[in-house]
């Protein structure tokens, strides 16, 4: 879910302009085209230019960041990157009246009166009340209350979307609800004591954000209840974790079995407790097994493999189980691997995998219970792709590209090029020691009239351009093979 709808109108336009800069390689924008696209006058555009520079100066640290107009009619950004954009988005978010209303509604409405909250946040009463009155309708419009997993419980959905909001917009920049920092640090230590491995920085950030939302919802008397589909089996380790957390929270609330079950289920779903625990808990969600079997059946029906006998079924099935378990429970809408433009690159590099993955995702999009957004579909595409790439060796693929390397200077040069080609092993390349009828590409330092296959001639060590041209030739070869390999499939 894109939570920038919470920003005020002017800040959203500033965010939009900055986002456009980050999408350009040279970070330049045509002023006239920008004005037309945003339906702004030249005067308005210049006011936003000044406002953005003031905001950039506020968030800039050691490296200056600003917009300039080095050439008339052309704006250029300097020092702007995704991290700076994230920082300034957070500034916009925290001064948005709608966001203030959201925090009150979901974290403090049972603890403070509206008057007390308005006074504590130094904002206009009329602005706050107006924002609060419009909040629910705006959230409904953007699907905030619509379950993004197979869970239908309202509290589960609200918590998950609140977690997505804070994890997405605060991640790597700041911690939400900073007064909680000392307590959260102790809570993370209590959780860490019951985990098999040390937390990585990304895992700790994710857990920290989750704990903050979890704690504040409980303190505001918004409880998860006992209607959770996931039910953990208590162990000595889990009970010790619960007891330690209860000690930390003793002066604030009573940690119920339902609430700890919710936390521990999250730890399992996100892989904090290892795959065996995930498999055990996933057995309680029939959809996980259903979706895994559906994907494996799609692989077989698409017929992308030469044989299925040598596939590492356990590795592939475990990856699919992990994907589907998270997807159907604590699905965290991703902020990376969501660019639909990158799908085309993988589709060309792995055309056989692309057919199986795309067909399966199309089936999922037809299901009304999954509510598959475009971002979810793209991220799921990459998840499936990576699972297949990691589990299936090139030797089993039908869309192999055979390359014969044969340099006149002997084995040293030949072996060097072969080793360098390992960088392309993800393209399902098979190295032929001799020229055969299966060979698709012949690489040498001299052209040979005896070779009918495509020839690549490198009389000097290959340059980056040479490697790029080879990559294009590999993709062309794969593309040309598809109609013969999969005559009954749509190969785009």
């Amino acid at each position: 879910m894109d939570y920038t709808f919470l920003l005020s109108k002017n800040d959203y336009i500033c965010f939009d302009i900055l986002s456009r800069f980050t999408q350009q390689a040279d970070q330049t924008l045509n002023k006239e085209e920008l004005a037309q696209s945003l339906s702004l006058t030249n005067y308005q555009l210049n006011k936003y230019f000044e406002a953005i520079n003031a905001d950039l100066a506020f968030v800039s640290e050691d490296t200056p960041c600003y917009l300039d107009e080095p050439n008339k009619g052309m704006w250029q950004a300097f020092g702007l990157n995704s991290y700076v954009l994230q920082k300034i988005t957070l500034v916009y978010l925290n001064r948005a009246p709608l966001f203030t209303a959201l925090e009150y509604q979901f974290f403090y409405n049972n603890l403070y009166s509206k008057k007390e909250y308005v006074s504590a946040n130094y904002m206009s009463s009329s602005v706050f009340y107006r924002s609060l009155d419009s909040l629910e309708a705006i959230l409904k419009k953007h699907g905030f209350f619509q379950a993004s997993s197979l869970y239908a419980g309202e509290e589960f959905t609200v918590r998950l979307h609140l977690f997505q909001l804070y994890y997405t917009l605060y991640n790597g920049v700041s911690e939400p609800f900073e007064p909680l920092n000392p307590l959260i640090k102790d809570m993370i230590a209590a959780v860490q004591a019951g985990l098999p491995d040390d937390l990585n920085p990304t895992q700790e950030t994710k857990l920290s954000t989750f704990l903050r939302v979890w704690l504040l919802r409980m303190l505001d008397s918004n409880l998860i209840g006992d209607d959770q589909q996931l039910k953990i089996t208590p162990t000595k380790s889990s009970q010790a974790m619960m007891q330690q957390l209860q000690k930390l929270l003793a002066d604030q609330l009573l940690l119920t079995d339902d609430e700890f079950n919710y936390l521990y289920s999250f730890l399992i779903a996100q892989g904090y407790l290892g795959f065996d625990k995930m498999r055990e808990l996933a057995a309680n969600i029939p959809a996980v097994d259903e979706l895994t079997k559906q994907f494996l059946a799609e692989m077989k029906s698409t017929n992308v493999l030469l044989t299925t006998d040598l596939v590492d079924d356990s590795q592939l099935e475990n990856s699919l189980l992990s994907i589907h378990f998270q997807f159907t429970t604590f699905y965290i809408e991703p902020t990376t691997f969501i660019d639909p433009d990158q799908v085309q690159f993988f589709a060309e590099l792995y055309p056989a995998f692309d057919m199986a993955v795309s067909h399966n995702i199309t089936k999922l999009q037809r299901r009304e219970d999954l509510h598959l957004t475009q971002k979810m579909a793209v991220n799921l595409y990459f998840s499936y792709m990576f699972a297949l790439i990691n589990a299936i060796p090139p030797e089993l693929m039908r869309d192999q590209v055979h390359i014969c390397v044969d340099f006149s200077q002997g084995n040293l040069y030949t072996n060097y090029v072969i080793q360098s080609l390992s960088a392309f092993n993800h393209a399902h390349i098979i190295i032929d020691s001799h020229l055969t009828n299966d060979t698709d590409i012949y690489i040498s330092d001299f052209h040979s009239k005896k070779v009918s296959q495509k020839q690549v001639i490198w009389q000097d060590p290959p340059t980056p351009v040479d490697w790029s041209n080879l990559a294009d030739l590999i993709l062309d070869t794969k593309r040309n093979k598809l109609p013969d390999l999969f005559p009954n499939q749509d190969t785009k």
Side-chain angles (χ1 to χ4, degrees), residues 1 106 135-136 139-140 143-147 154 157-158 161:
M1 186 182 301
F106 291 106
L135 180 65
E136 184 174 357
L139 292 178
K140 282 184 178 179
F144 182 85
F145 299 105
Q146 180 174 292
E154 181 179 347
T157 298
V158 167
H161 288 167

Side-chain angles (χ1 to χ4, degrees), residues 252-460:
Q252 301 186 64
L253 54 81
L254 174 66
L255 182 57
T256 66
D257 289 338
D258 287 335
E259 288 293 353
F260 181 74
N261 180 87
Y262 172 76
L263 167 63
Y264 208 73
S265 298
F266 170 82
L267 296 175
I268 293 174
Q270 292 299 312
Y272 287 77
L273 286 156
F275 187 77
D276 289 341
K277 284 288 185 182
M278 184 182 294
R279 184 196 297 276
E280 178 185 324
L281 196 56
N284 298 323
I285 306 294
V288 175
D289 186 54
E290 174 195 341
L291 292 173
T292 300
K293 288 180 177 178
Q294 174 182 305
F295 185 87
L296 292 173
E298 186 64 51
M299 282 292 295
K300 291 182 179 179
S301 66
T302 311
N303 195 27
V304 300
L305 304 178
L306 292 172
T307 176
T308 58
D309 296 337
L310 301 178
V311 176
D312 187 344
D313 288 334
S314 61
Q315 181 181 353
L316 181 56
E317 288 181 7
N318 289 349
S319 297
L320 293 173
L321 186 148
S322 178
I323 292 169
H324 294 142
F325 186 50
Q326 292 185 34
F327 182 69
T328 56
T329 58
F330 289 90
Y331 178 75
I332 302 171
E333 187 165 286
T335 56
T336 55
F337 299 108
I338 55 173
D339 185 354
D341 293 337
Q342 292 299 313
V343 168
Q344 183 60 31
F345 170 79
F346 278 81
E348 292 181 350
L349 199 57
Y350 310 101
F353 286 165
D354 174 73
M355 282 188 289
V357 170
S358 297
H359 289 177
N360 193 69
I361 290 179
T362 298
K363 291 180 180 178
L364 298 182
Q365 288 173 322
R366 292 172 181 158
R367 290 180 56 152
E368 295 183 357
D369 57 339
L370 293 180
H371 308 295
L372 203 63
T373 66
Q374 184 193 39
K375 283 186 178 180
M376 293 168 70
V378 172
N379 184 254
L380 195 57
Y381 178 93
F382 288 125
S383 297
Y384 282 147
M385 273 287 185
F386 299 153
L388 293 173
I389 293 166
N390 291 332
I392 299 177
E395 291 79 7
L396 300 184
M397 295 303 303
R398 287 165 56 82
D399 62 343
Q400 299 170 356
V401 174
H402 287 254
I403 297 179
C404 178
V405 183
D406 177 27
F407 280 85
S408 62
Q409 295 188 33
N411 290 335
L412 284 178
Y413 205 143
T414 296
N415 289 338
Y416 161 75
V417 173
I418 290 175
Q419 289 298 318
S420 299
L421 282 169
S422 63
F424 290 88
N425 61 2
H426 51 270
H428 303 150
I429 286 177
I430 304 297
I431 301 297
D432 295 336
S433 56
H434 299 285
L435 195 66
T436 70
N437 291 333
D438 292 329
T439 301
D440 299 298
I441 299 171
Y442 178 80
I443 301 178
S444 182
D445 50 344
F446 289 103
H447 187 276
S448 174
K449 293 182 179 180
K450 295 182 178 180
V451 177
S452 59
Q453 290 90 337
K454 293 283 186 180
Q455 296 190 47
V456 174
I457 309 303
W458 289 340
Q459 293 184 336
D460 294 301

Side-chain angles (χ1 to χ4, degrees), residues 141-290:
K141 176 183 176 181
H142 290 273
F144 182 85
F145 299 105
Q146 180 174 292
S148 57
S149 70
L150 291 182
Y151 277 87
E154 181 179 347
E155 178 61 19
F156 189 97
T157 298
V158 167
R159 289 187 182 191
L160 189 57
H161 288 167
L162 287 171
F163 169 73
Q164 290 175 352
L165 164 61
Y166 288 93
Y167 182 65
T168 299
L169 296 179
Y170 278 80
N171 188 4
V173 178
S174 179
E175 291 88 15
F177 313 107
E178 288 189 352
L180 293 175
N181 284 358
L183 175 58
I184 294 299
K185 181 179 179 181
D186 291 339
M187 293 174 69
I188 289 176
V191 172
Q192 173 68 86
L195 302 181
D197 295 308
D198 291 339
L199 292 169
N200 291 325
T202 54
Q203 291 179 308
E204 186 170 337
T205 299
K206 184 181 293 184
L207 178 58
S208 171
T209 306
F210 185 86
L211 289 174
R212 292 166 199 265
V213 173
W214 176 60
L215 178 60
L216 289 175
R217 288 295 285 176
M218 287 191 292
L219 290 174
D220 197 43
S221 301
N222 297 289
L223 305 180
I224 195 67
D226 60 358
D227 62 344
Q228 303 174 74
Q229 294 187 35
L230 297 174
K231 298 293 182 181
I232 67 168
T233 301
T235 64
K236 184 177 180 180
S237 176
S238 69
Q239 291 175 328
M241 184 187 296
M242 181 176 179
Q243 290 171 2
Q244 187 60 33
L245 289 171
Q246 181 59 80
K247 288 181 182 178
L248 294 172
L249 302 174
D251 61 340
Q252 301 186 64
L253 54 81
L254 174 66
L255 182 57
T256 66
D257 289 338
D258 287 335
E259 288 293 353
F260 181 74
N261 180 87
Y262 172 76
L263 167 63
Y264 208 73
S265 298
F266 170 82
L267 296 175
I268 293 174
Q270 292 299 312
Y272 287 77
L273 286 156
F275 187 77
D276 289 341
K277 284 288 185 182
M278 184 182 294
R279 184 196 297 276
E280 178 185 324
L281 196 56
N284 298 323
I285 306 294
V288 175
D289 186 54
E290 174 195 341

